[in-house]
Amino acid sequence: MAVLDSADLRLRHPEKAHRPDLPVSQKPDWIRVKAPGSPGYAETRRIVRANGLHTVCVEANCPNIGECWEKKHATFMIMGDICTRACAFCNVKTGLPGPLDREEPQRVADAVAKLGLSHVVVTSVDRDDLSDGGARHFADVICAIRACTPSTIEVLTPDFLRKEGALETVVAARPEVFNHNLETVPSLYLTVRPGARYFASLRLLQRVKELDPRIFTKSGIMVGLGEERNEVMQLMDDLRAAAVDFLTIGQYLQPTRKHHHVARFVTPDEFKAYETVAYAKGFLMVSASPLTRSSYHASEDFERLRASRRGEPSSSPMMRMHPLGSCSREV
């Protein structure tokens, strides 16, 4: 559980280096996953490395990497692997990033084509050092993928805090899904997500729908950080007030002893209860389980969203129909 980056032995989390060590709780049986190593996993890793790309699967130490990469599903992380923020839950490196790589959009598009992805998820580090927070780079990646493949595109963006016009730039590129995670309840923001603002993130999601109601909106949170159940209920109401379509809820897992501790492991039954309540509140789609992550099963979930928009019966008995208007491009 070191805070060193094994690649170059620099501090991966310099802002956390002097924090006291926190205990790391033993994971319950329902959290355990098998180690990756299938041929599909190896081929995905080869393509990612050959194109000089980063993935949130690796950088955030995602527990689902074996399952997803076996199916050649990777979530690309653009604009480098160094984040300008220092969230207490996140395992992505922090510091001062380098300049943008102008060739990266084409390399991402090439990798999407080689992997044969029908639906691709693109996320990024926070780039508070850039005047637009990296919004133009997101749009360039979307355009490059569109030029090379028929893939549908889901973006998971930062909040672009105080970057005028940034959100509009990404929305104008017309991703099929716009995801921005709230991560946790507002009472925990100062300790868990100190660089962000809860209501700014809510407003960003609401603004996406105002700019283009054809785009699906999505947000996710972690539980087990110390939140109360009634706070999660209120967060759901806040997201529905912002017309968010899709909610993901997953268990927080502590990356190192320097990160925020796990207050408790939420049981599978509790996740099921959250899912039931969220559907009752009107979400078009809900994914709630201990191993749920923002892009986990994103391709299958997108197909379910698209079917629901067309008014087709869902494979999920919990699914609610929610008309969102017509589209010039069928999504």
Side-chain angles (χ1 to χ4, degrees):
M1 303 296 286
V3 293
L4 289 176
D5 188 314
S6 58
D8 57 15
L9 298 183
R10 291 181 300 178
L11 280 175
R12 186 177 182 88
H13 307 289
E15 79 295 338
K16 298 179 176 75
H18 300 293
R19 292 182 183 177
D21 286 356
L22 299 173
V24 177
S25 303
Q26 183 175 357
K27 297 181 182 70
D29 291 341
W30 62 77
I31 294 289
R32 302 189 185 281
V33 295
K34 67 177 183 179
S38 68
Y41 169 86
E43 176 65 6
T44 301
R45 182 175 60 179
R46 185 192 67 77
I47 291 172
V48 168
R49 289 181 173 178
N51 284 271
L53 300 172
H54 300 291
T55 67
V56 75
C57 322
V58 171
E59 298 302 329
N61 197 25
C62 180
N64 302 315
I65 187 171
E67 177 185 347
C68 293
W69 282 27
E70 182 177 1
K71 301 174 183 177
K72 296 187 177 180
H73 292 170
T75 298
F76 297 103
M77 191 174 79
I78 60 174
M79 297 189 279
D81 62 345
I82 299 177
C83 187
T84 55
R85 298 192 191 174
C87 296
F89 65 86
C90 185
N91 197 42
V92 174
K93 287 185 286 190
T94 55
L96 181 62
L100 291 179
D101 179 354
R102 299 300 177 185
E103 303 301 318
E104 183 177 52
Q106 188 58 54
R107 293 205 313 277
V108 172
D110 291 343
V112 172
K114 289 174 183 176
L115 290 167
L117 298 179
S118 61
H119 183 78
V120 58
V121 183
V122 179
T123 188
S124 78
V125 291
D126 275 288
R127 290 299 303 257
D128 295 317
D129 58 312
L130 301 175
S131 61
D132 67 349
R136 181 71 259 164
H137 200 74
F138 261 106
D140 289 345
V141 170
I142 293 170
C143 291
I145 294 171
R146 292 254 190 266
C148 290
T149 77
S151 302
T152 51
I153 300 169
E154 178 174 331
V155 293
L156 171 55
T157 77
D159 55 20
F160 301 122
L161 199 60
R162 295 181 292 276
K163 308 291 187 182
E164 186 174 351
L167 176 64
E168 289 77 4
T169 297
V170 179
V171 171
R174 286 287 317 274
E176 278 77 12
V177 182
F178 192 107
N179 186 1
H180 173 67
N181 287 335
L182 293 184
E183 306 293 6
T184 188
V185 299
S187 67
L188 294 177
Y189 260 54
L190 283 178
T191 54
V192 173
R193 198 182 178 214
R197 299 295 179 266
Y198 177 80
F199 288 104
S201 288
L202 273 178
R203 176 56 184 152
L204 178 140
L205 289 160
Q206 183 182 45
R207 181 67 177 144
V208 172
K209 282 293 190 187
E210 293 171 354
L211 291 167
D212 190 341
R214 297 167 292 184
I215 296 176
F216 291 109
T217 50
K218 178 177 176 180
S219 190
I221 63 167
M222 302 166 290
V223 290
L225 285 158
E227 71 288 332
E228 298 291 337
R229 187 175 187 275
N230 66 325
E231 293 182 296
V232 177
M233 300 295 106
Q234 182 61 61
L235 178 145
M236 290 182 189
D237 289 338
D238 291 343
L239 286 173
R240 287 302 303 133
V244 170
D245 303 306
F246 187 177
L247 172 64
T248 62
I249 306 175
Q251 171 69 52
Y252 167 64
L253 299 176
Q254 183 179 351
T256 75
R257 295 182 183 278
K258 301 295 184 180
H259 286 78
H260 195 286
H261 69 287
V262 176
R264 73 184 188 97
F265 289 102
V266 178
T267 67
D269 285 345
E270 290 176 278
F271 278 104
K272 185 63 179 177
Y274 277 139
E275 177 186 297
T276 301
V277 170
Y279 275 123
K281 288 180 180 291
F283 287 98
L284 184 64
M285 178 82 97
V286 182
S287 178
S289 74
L291 290 174
T292 288
R293 296 297 183 266
S294 292
S295 54
Y296 189 44
H297 293 165
S299 180
E300 296 94 328
D301 288 343
F302 176 71
E303 288 304 318
R304 290 168 60 193
L305 279 169
R306 184 158 56 179
S308 297
R309 173 170 282 175
R310 293 194 297 256
E312 297 174 3
S314 167
S315 59
S316 168
M318 293 297 300
M319 187 67 70
R320 305 307 201 258
M321 296 300 107
H322 181 63
L324 296 172
S326 61
C327 302
S328 57
R329 172 175 176 174
E330 184 185 20
V331 297

